Amino acid sequence: MSEQNLRMGLIGLGSMGRHHARVIRETPGMDLVAVADPNGDAWGVAKDLEVLPDVHALIDAGIDAAMVAVPTVYHEDVALALAAAGVHTMVEKPIAATADAGRRVAAAFDGAGLVGAVGYVERCNPALLELRGRIADGELGEVYQISTSRQGPFPGRISDVGVVKDLATHDVDLTAWIAQSPYATVSAQVAHRSGREHEDMVSVSGRLANGIIVNHLVNWLSPRKERQTIVTGERGAFVADTAQGDLTFYANGTIPTEWDRVAAFRGVTEGDTIRYAIAKREPLRVEQEHFRDAIRGAGNHIVTMAEGVHTLTVVEGILESAATGETVRLGAADRA
């Protein structure tokens, strides 16, 4: 398989599926040979391909790998069918509608010896890739806190989940990935302000297993779009603007502050600020390349299904905490 293009199938031709179709067609080593969606092709994604009715027809087209971009409620059934057919698969986040369903999906791909991935595209954001690399190299020293904010207007495309499973799931995944540690506890509050069944605002605080404290602010109620990740450590703070793909470092100062009252209040002094010049490749393209390389045995940069299950377990903990008013502690099995 490493010497020939992967025969790719895509199921789900909606707002995300149309972008996956474009990127798969543009990715070396991949050929989009089949697409499926029972609701048709509103975006004209198929081009010269027949729009197939379901996952079984997609499998019958003779595919090596598949991208699943259907609504979350269908992830489990579609993914299990692909696993049973021996098809390597990437499922758009979250891995499934529930953590239990996600465990069944992960177990099916693991048992079949297939590559199973979850599409958390934020891990491929240039600012976060640069940030994680610099933290891994020790540039920040010990990490103390990771804080994220993801806010903006309500997207009309979302109908089956709330802001926690649609957006906060990104922040949970990228935080554990940056810190290289699972979550240990979460505490959350949610709000329902737009008249929908599901929550449209959440505030989360928690702690990772390695002691790093975390905070997430996510909502669909702000007219101002914001996508930001701040990592604070012993040598300063990294600020990643993931909407623009920019990374800035705010260093702790080395020049002493002579005004005693200010020095005592601040704790650290303000040092140099560096805005890094980094290559800005399209995250979705990087994600598909990682999936291709994993199938070929040439890389391990995918979001594994086990990681996808942990993220969904944390998300369910967030919703449980919001419903009960209690801090939710994740057991060792949840952190595996």
Side-chain angles (χ1 to χ4, degrees):
M1 190 171 292
S2 62
E3 297 179 356
Q4 60 186 8
N5 284 2
L6 295 171
R7 291 176 55 82
M8 292 291 302
L10 167 66
I11 182 165
L13 306 181
S15 59
M16 277 304 299
R18 64 187 174 117
H19 295 299
H20 281 297
R22 171 183 56 81
V23 171
I24 290 170
R25 285 184 168 115
E26 294 172 353
T27 300
M30 287 182 163
D31 291 328
L32 184 62
V33 300
V35 298
D37 194 317
N39 295 316
D41 184 16
W43 298 96
V45 169
K47 295 187 178 179
D48 58 344
L49 297 173
E50 176 186 1
V51 180
L52 303 172
D54 55 34
V55 66
H56 302 292
L58 194 74
I59 292 167
D60 290 342
I63 57 176
D64 301 314
M67 183 72 221
V68 176
V70 299
T72 303
V73 67
Y74 302 118
H75 283 190
E76 180 184 10
D77 289 344
V78 171
L80 289 178
L82 290 163
V87 177
H88 303 291
T89 299
M90 182 189 294
V91 181
E92 259 298 346
K93 60 82 189 167
I95 185 173
T98 67
D100 284 342
R103 291 185 188 98
R104 291 190 289 270
V105 171
F109 280 86
D110 185 56
L114 296 166
V115 173
V118 187
Y120 280 102
V121 71
E122 282 284 58
R123 286 206 199 181
C124 300
N125 186 288
L128 292 180
L129 287 170
E130 185 77 9
L131 166 62
R132 186 176 182 272
R134 290 180 177 276
I135 289 175
D137 288 341
E139 293 187 19
L140 195 59
E142 183 182 355
V143 176
Y144 301 151
Q145 180 185 47
I146 300 176
S147 177
T148 70
S149 56
R150 188 177 300 269
Q151 305 178 85
F154 174 71
R157 63 182 176 83
I158 301 300
S159 61
D160 59 338
V161 295
V163 74
V164 173
K165 284 191 175 180
D166 182 62
L167 289 186
T169 183
H170 277 300
D171 295 306
V172 170
D173 174 74
L174 69 87
T175 295
W177 171 67
I178 288 171
Q180 290 294 281
S181 175
Y183 281 68
T185 66
V186 287
S187 179
Q189 299 288 334
V190 299
H192 298 74
R193 299 296 186 184
S194 61
R196 299 175 65 251
E197 174 187 357
H198 303 288
E199 78 288 340
D200 41 39
M201 175 177 281
V202 65
S203 174
V204 182
S205 62
R207 186 180 295 273
L208 304 183
N210 64 0
I212 295 173
I213 60 174
V214 301
N215 304 91
H216 308 303
L217 291 177
V218 190
N219 74 60
W220 279 325
L221 301 176
S222 173
R224 176 179 176 269
K225 291 184 179 180
E226 182 180 47
R227 303 285 187 272
Q228 184 172 260
T229 298
I230 303 174
V231 183
T232 304
E234 63 177 322
R235 295 177 184 168
F238 281 113
V239 178
D241 180 341
T242 54
Q244 301 298 322
D246 289 335
L247 179 65
T248 304
F249 179 56
Y250 296 84
N252 291 342
T254 57
I255 301 174
T257 299
E258 296 180 1
W259 186 5
D260 291 340
R261 186 174 65 183
V262 173
F265 176 76
R266 288 186 177 181
V268 300
T269 58
E270 297 177 4
D272 294 333
T273 299
I274 304 170
R275 181 174 176 271
Y276 296 103
I278 55 179
K280 297 182 180 180
R281 301 186 64 224
E282 182 181 3
L284 207 62
R285 184 186 301 272
V286 176
E287 182 181 64
Q288 288 294 345
E289 290 174 355
H290 287 171
F291 182 44
R292 174 203 64 197
D293 292 346
I295 294 171
R296 290 177 166 178
N300 60 350
H301 300 296
I302 60 170
V303 182
T304 68
M305 287 186 165
E307 291 174 307
V309 171
H310 174 67
T311 296
L312 194 48
T313 301
V314 176
V315 164
E316 290 184 351
I318 290 170
L319 293 173
E320 178 185 345
S321 174
T324 64
E326 303 289 336
T327 296
V328 172
R329 299 183 182 279
L330 302 170
D334 299 322
R335 298 196 299 268

